[in-house]
Amino acid sequence: MTLRLQPVQIATGSYDVDGQLVFADGFLTAVLVKLSGYHDDMAGMWFLEAGFGWVDTPTRPTFADLDAAQTWIEERLTCAA
């Protein structure tokens, strides 16, 4: 499986607008949003704004960095296979 990230601006309705679309083997699997300085100690972390298929979860996780987010996404997709 190959993950590809694409930077994007997201209209979240908050200060968190920097995002990444995450594609797995060409399919959109997740939308990640970078938390702004508005979140104090969580600023700079990545939030799962939306997950699709096996990446969808009712509790949206937050990740320390994009590497951690990609690892989590890969684990979810690998368990599904």
Side-chain angles (χ1 to χ4, degrees):
M1 163 187 354
T2 302
L3 292 185
R4 182 178 61 85
L5 277 62
Q6 178 180 325
V8 64
Q9 295 285 294
I10 301 172
T12 62
S14 72
Y15 295 106
D16 311 323
V17 295
D18 294 325
Q20 295 281 341
L21 300 179
V22 183
F23 296 88
D25 295 333
F27 292 92
L28 181 61
T29 58
V31 178
L32 300 170
V33 175
K34 188 174 186 180
L35 299 178
S36 67
Y38 184 76
H39 295 278
D40 297 322
D41 59 336
M42 294 180 73
M45 297 179 80
W46 290 87
F47 175 74
L48 179 67
E49 186 72 28
F52 306 99
W54 291 102
V55 181
D56 189 19
T57 179
T59 53
R60 305 282 184 218
T62 303
F63 308 97
D65 54 37
L66 284 175
D67 288 337
Q70 289 180 83
T71 297
W72 183 85
I73 291 167
E74 287 173 344
E75 288 172 356
R76 300 282 296 199
L77 294 172
T78 301
C79 290

